[in-house]
Amino acid sequence: MDSSTPQWLHWKQKGDTKYNNGNYLRAIKCHAPSEENERVWWLTAKALYGLRRWRECAACLEKIGGLYAETGERREVLERCRVRVREEEGEYDWGGMIEGVRAGDGKGDLDCADYVGGIEVRPCAVEGHGRGLFTTRDVEAGELLLCEKAFGAAFAKDEEEGEGDEETMRVRAELAMGVFVKLVRNPSLREGFGELFAGDEVDEQRDLKGEVVVDDTFVQSRINYNAFAFPLLTSTSHQQILSHPAGISTDANNRGIWLRASFINHSCYPLVRRSFIGDMMNFRAQADIPKDTELKFGYISCLEDVETRTEMLAKYGFRCECQVCIAERATSPEKFKRRKEITKMIIELFEKSKAVGLHTYLDLLGQIGETYIVSPTIEPRHAVVVPIINIITGCQSSALHLQVIQLVQLLLINLGFEFRVTQDNFRVLRWGYLIDELVMALADLRDAYAALAQTELSRDAESVAKKCYLIMCGEELSWEAAYGAQSERRKGDKGGSEARWATEGKWREGGGPN
């Protein structure tokens, strides 16, 4: 240090360099703010914002405001801090977040705080399962449990034909580089990232102090097990699934990693559902959950068969022993064969030019149900669910309102729901397994009740549909555009003959991913 340079100026200059390089914690330490230097306070506040320490940042800015003249930039950052604090309490501007993603030119890097609801990380009861997320109080279906910004995320460009694989590799590399740089610049973040599962045989290097070296092995081993693809907006993916009867893959090339969410373990019959708004991941309760229950999420959909699920989960290093897997493994090959035979018969009837009576389908659906050995509350009967969804669509397009009501109720039963219907009330008593098509079916139920002038039941059906939509898409602001009175779906032609849908309908292969 030049002897002519004041010590405070030396540390300010050093702190400025650290801040510009994104090393916020060290910038704060270098600045060591005093009431004698306005700029030092301001740079400290910005460093605190970069570290996502919103309350400390707000306090720092309020201190500046009390000592010095306010500026427009400082007031703007202070207001953003106050918004972040409200977000930490679960108060989000979902509409603003959606617009932020849509205006982001393919980027979903949102300036939002994390919210942690009635959950905490605890050791799992089963040895070898590590730690998981548990409820700290009773939770209701639809409740927001976690809204977390990605620790690191990389976004795909608009793909051109033939460039998919190359773009995927670019995004993966960008994510790894971004995480590496973040950890190098901010050593205080290494501990949290280092707690993620890295595989049983990872060989990590240590320095002379015994601390793990942040290198390619440290970063890539954790990304391999914890990062995954995600859409910019789950609500958009939901609409894409419903508009493609043959089924589509909604995995985007965007790729991210979330620290707290990584502690949620797997079950093929999950208790929570995740959704995305940009790089913010939401987890909402998929059922009413008692206190001290471990939350489980489906890494893959249980609509896949048990062999496929087992193979897909093997990369995570475990064999699933959830209630669904146990039931399927106990089911005989003869029963699986019978399911396929009956499903094929239903498809052939569905595609015939001549209309088939609903009683014929119901009889065949009942025969499929007989091949299951446990209740739908334990194992969702997806072999029954897919045909029901197709038949509901056909009946709805032909204005067969009573049949729609009967079939939607059958769908709910086979997805493990328990409900009560009276002359003026429709209420869910127990929430079952959720798929995207269920929202569409419940919207059909609402319309069928409305067509029969059963206003209260129509209102209740819409309420249940909106809650399912909220759980699956994370927010309900986009509900109106998708299913509301002015949506294309509600304004579309619902007329037609009973035979029309049998010749023009398209067989939907299965539900969307969980």
Side-chain angles (χ1 to χ4, degrees):
M1 179 176 66
D2 190 331
S3 59
S4 63
T5 303
Q7 189 176 40
W8 71 265
L9 181 58
H10 163 75
W11 285 108
K12 187 192 84 66
Q13 292 171 343
K14 189 173 182 179
D16 289 356
T17 301
K18 297 293 185 184
Y19 176 82
N20 291 332
N21 288 334
N23 195 330
Y24 301 123
L25 186 60
R26 290 182 176 176
I28 292 172
K29 293 178 179 179
C30 290
H31 282 144
S34 69
E35 295 184 6
E36 298 177 358
N37 195 300
E38 178 182 2
R39 177 169 171 75
V40 168
W41 277 102
W42 170 232
L43 291 175
T44 300
K46 291 201 293 184
L48 287 166
Y49 196 97
L51 283 170
R52 302 172 63 78
R53 288 158 56 174
W54 321 115
R55 286 175 169 79
E56 293 174 72
C57 178
C60 189
L61 290 169
E62 288 167 353
K63 181 75 172 179
I64 297 174
L67 294 172
Y68 308 100
E70 282 194 329
T71 66
E73 184 181 9
R74 292 173 188 172
R75 284 194 298 271
E76 189 270 335
V77 175
L78 178 58
E79 180 53 36
R80 282 162 51 196
C81 270
R82 290 169 176 165
V83 172
R84 300 292 86 80
V85 170
R86 291 196 294 271
E87 290 169 348
E88 286 185 321
E89 297 171 353
E91 185 180 334
Y92 286 92
D93 176 11
W94 302 111
M97 292 167 67
I98 293 171
E99 288 304 313
V101 172
R102 289 173 176 167
D105 192 25
K107 302 292 184 181
D109 184 9
L110 297 181
D111 181 18
C112 293
D114 295 348
Y115 166 73
V116 182
I119 58 174
E120 66 181 11
V121 178
R122 298 180 192 169
C124 295
V126 179
E127 185 177 355
H129 282 199
R131 290 181 292 173
L133 283 182
F134 291 76
T135 54
T136 59
R137 53 176 173 77
D138 292 345
V139 169
E140 293 185 1
E143 186 173 336
L144 181 65
L145 299 178
L146 177 66
C147 186
E148 182 178 11
K149 183 176 174 64
F151 181 83
F155 300 93
K157 300 176 183 177
D158 291 335
E159 292 183 5
E160 297 180 6
E161 187 176 354
E163 293 184 350
D165 292 341
E166 181 179 345
E167 176 67 358
T168 298
M169 294 301 295
R170 183 196 68 78
V171 170
R172 289 173 181 265
E174 183 178 313
L175 173 63
M177 179 58 69
V179 169
F180 177 80
V181 171
K182 188 172 187 175
L183 293 172
V184 169
R185 289 179 171 176
N186 294 280
S188 63
L189 302 177
R190 296 177 188 176
E191 182 179 356
F193 184 80
E195 290 180 347
L196 298 180
F197 180 66
D200 296 324
E201 300 180 358
V202 60
D203 184 18
E204 297 179 329
Q205 301 297 315
R206 294 185 177 273
D207 60 21
L208 296 176
K209 297 180 180 179
E211 297 180 355
V212 176
V213 175
V214 177
D215 56 10
D216 183 67
T217 299
F218 180 81
V219 174
Q220 287 287 4
S221 60
R222 286 161 179 78
I223 286 180
N224 288 341
Y225 284 100
N226 298 280
F228 47 83
F230 68 98
L232 284 177
L233 288 171
T234 298
S235 57
T236 300
S237 296
H238 173 77
Q239 290 302 311
Q240 290 173 340
I241 290 169
L242 300 185
S243 62
H244 291 74
I248 63 167
S249 172
T250 59
D251 277 347
N253 272 337
N254 310 310
R255 197 164 184 83
I257 186 166
W258 290 258
L259 300 190
R260 189 174 281 101
S262 294
F263 286 103
I264 299 182
N265 289 315
H266 167 81
S267 172
C268 298
Y269 204 138
L271 289 174
V272 293
R273 177 93 178 199
R274 76 180 178 194
S275 59
F276 299 90
I277 302 177
D279 65 346
M280 300 297 296
M281 181 197 295
N282 301 318
F283 274 96
R284 288 189 181 272
Q286 188 168 300
D288 296 329
I289 308 173
K291 179 182 178 181
D292 297 324
T293 301
E294 183 181 2
L295 301 177
K296 297 290 184 72
F297 165 73
Y299 294 178
I300 56 177
S301 172
C302 89
L303 295 179
E304 302 285 355
D305 59 64
V306 66
E307 291 82 7
T308 301
R309 297 201 308 273
T310 300
E311 181 180 346
M312 295 175 71
L313 289 171
K315 76 170 189 174
Y316 295 101
F318 70 91
R319 173 184 167 92
C320 184
E321 297 294 342
C322 73
Q323 60 192 41
V324 178
C325 289
I326 292 172
E328 285 197 53
R329 291 182 185 125
T331 303
S332 67
E334 291 75 20
K335 289 186 181 294
F336 281 116
K337 181 180 178 181
R338 180 61 176 156
R339 285 181 199 173
K340 291 181 179 179
E341 291 173 347
I342 301 172
T343 300
K344 183 179 179 181
M345 293 171 59
I346 293 176
I347 294 174
E348 290 174 350
L349 287 173
F350 188 88
E351 294 177 345
K352 280 186 175 181
S353 58
K354 184 178 179 180
V356 178
L358 181 60
H359 66 278
T360 301
Y361 286 116
L362 292 176
D363 178 64
L364 291 171
L365 292 171
Q367 292 182 44
I368 295 179
E370 291 172 359
T371 67
Y372 285 84
I373 62 175
V374 296
S375 164
T377 60
I378 297 174
E379 179 190 4
R381 295 179 175 176
H382 60 268
V384 182
V385 166
V386 174
I388 294 176
I389 290 170
N390 282 279
I391 300 168
I392 288 173
T393 301
C395 289
Q396 189 271 346
S397 67
S398 299
L400 302 175
H401 306 305
L402 291 175
Q403 290 86 339
V404 167
I405 293 170
Q406 182 179 2
L407 286 164
V408 174
Q409 292 181 5
L410 185 62
L411 174 63
L412 289 167
I413 292 170
N414 281 278
L415 285 172
F417 282 75
E418 295 176 359
F419 55 93
R420 183 178 64 226
V421 182
T422 64
Q423 286 187 339
D424 57 1
N425 181 266
F426 170 63
R427 180 186 175 192
V428 171
L429 305 177
R430 179 190 184 278
W431 292 80
Y433 190 83
L434 298 187
I435 58 175
D436 289 89
E437 288 84 354
L438 177 59
V439 179
M440 179 176 63
L442 287 167
D444 290 339
L445 180 65
R446 169 202 61 189
D447 294 344
Y449 280 134
L452 297 174
Q454 295 178 299
T455 307
E456 293 83 1
L457 290 173
S458 178
R459 178 202 60 213
D460 290 347
E462 179 171 83
S463 177
V464 174
K466 289 178 73 172
K467 178 168 281 193
C468 288
Y469 186 88
L470 171 68
I471 293 170
M472 290 190 288
C473 296
E475 45 75 30
E476 59 182 16
L477 285 177
S478 55
W479 159 269
E480 190 62 27
Y483 296 98
Q486 299 304 312
S487 65
E488 291 300 318
R489 187 175 181 283
R490 291 291 292 278
K491 292 188 293 186
D493 175 24
K494 298 179 182 178
S497 66
E498 187 175 354
R500 191 186 77 178
W501 60 269
T503 57
E504 298 181 5
K506 295 182 180 180
W507 186 262
R508 184 178 295 278
E509 296 297 333
N514 189 28

